[in-house]
Amino acid sequence: MTQRIALVSGGIGGLGTAICRALAHAGHRVIAVDLGGRDERVAGFHAALDGLDVSFAPLDVTDFDACGALVARLEAEHGGIDILVNAAGITRDARLVKMDKRAWDDVLSVNLDGVFNLCRHVVDGMAARGHGRIVNISSINGQTGQFGQTNYAAAKAGMHGFTMSLAREVARKGVTVNSISPGYIDTEMTRAIREDVREQIVAGIPTGRMGQPDDIARAVAFLTADASDYLTGVNLPVNGGLFMSF
Ligand code: CAA
């Protein structure tokens, strides 16, 4: 197996940590990027890695130039980024009538601009080397919409258009671009939902339970494998049956 260099945004978050673990288990050299200045969280992240060697670099994905500088540094150090997983995401839930401009801007700039900012800087190198895997972590709520999530659902749905368009642009260069739409996964993000609202959502999941971060990480490992070279422009739902479509 070829060892690949993998960059995971939102890398120390609930999904990000599981994704880093899965990619490291697959034999890749993994770099987690996330907001800096949170030493305790970074320590918790390293503790959750079961001794796997994953490095951490501070990065605000909303900062286009900072993304460029980090990618340039990693390319110089490692020779290129082969796998990019965009898992940085936030929620600022509120009904539209109560949503302020800041809640809109924050969610769009992290969840959607962040994808552009990193893809824009890694894709040239991937195309030049003739190999690349990009996975964008979207959401079931980008497919269905969700009460209180006009901002989040718009960003997550936007990711699909981005994914399919970029997939077409780089398909002949050995680069695949796919998205995953997690359903409700047991992380800090879903724990923040008001309990009665969360219970109502879980009651509607056909499998009868929330997913685990590893359910998403396994899907990332599948889509980023060298052998997955004929899979591109796909959205892979991992949602316990909460939204079925074809
Ligand atoms: N559908 C229809 N009506 C609803 C509703 C729903 N799902 N939820 C609430 N309402 C109604 C209420 O019955 C209430 O009606 P009345 O005024 O007639 O009594 C009204 O809307 C106000 O409801 P709330 O008290 O809930 O309004 P709020 O402003 O206090 O709270 C909210 C709004 C915070 C968005 C809350 O509804 C909520 O938490 N919703 C869930 C959002 C959610 O699922 N977020 C997912 C986060 S995790 C994630 O995003 C990960 C992922 O990718 C899946």
Side-chain angles (χ1 to χ4, degrees), residues 15 90-91 93-95 97-98 138-142 146-149 152 156 181-185 187-194 196-198 200-201 242:
L15 298 185
I90 60 169
T91 52
D93 292 355
R95 287 183 289 149
V97 291
K98 291 187 184 170
S138 182
S139 165
I140 184 174
N141 293 343
Q146 175 59 296
F147 190 96
Q149 288 201 307
Y152 185 86
K156 295 299 191 180
S181 289
Y184 283 76
I185 310 297
T187 63
E188 291 288 319
M189 188 181 272
T190 50
R191 275 173 229 141
I193 305 170
R194 216 175 63 206
D196 57 321
V197 175
R198 192 175 59 237
Q200 205 183 345
I201 292 168
L242 183 55

Side-chain angles (χ1 to χ4, degrees), residues 61-85:
V61 295
T62 68
D63 184 337
F64 180 75
D65 293 335
C67 288
L70 181 90
V71 169
R73 176 167 74 77
L74 294 176
E75 286 190 335
E77 276 172 26
H78 301 287
I81 293 161
D82 308 303
I83 297 171
L84 169 65
V85 183

Side-chain angles (χ1 to χ4, degrees), residues 77-158:
E77 276 172 26
H78 301 287
I81 293 161
D82 308 303
I83 297 171
L84 169 65
V85 183
N86 286 301
I90 60 169
T91 52
R92 297 284 182 270
D93 292 355
R95 287 183 289 149
L96 188 70
V97 291
K98 291 187 184 170
M99 187 179 290
D100 57 28
K101 178 82 167 72
R102 179 85 194 266
W104 174 267
D105 289 342
D106 285 353
V107 168
L108 269 289
S109 62
V110 174
N111 297 15
L112 192 55
D113 292 0
V115 173
F116 168 80
N117 292 343
L118 278 170
C119 287
R120 178 67 184 81
H121 289 109
V122 302
V123 82
D124 273 351
M126 288 177 173
R129 289 186 301 276
H131 178 87
R133 298 280 180 270
I134 296 175
V135 178
N136 296 320
I137 305 299
S138 182
S139 165
I140 184 174
N141 293 343
Q143 300 174 285
T144 64
Q146 175 59 296
F147 190 96
Q149 288 201 307
T150 49
N151 50 1
Y152 185 86
K156 295 299 191 180

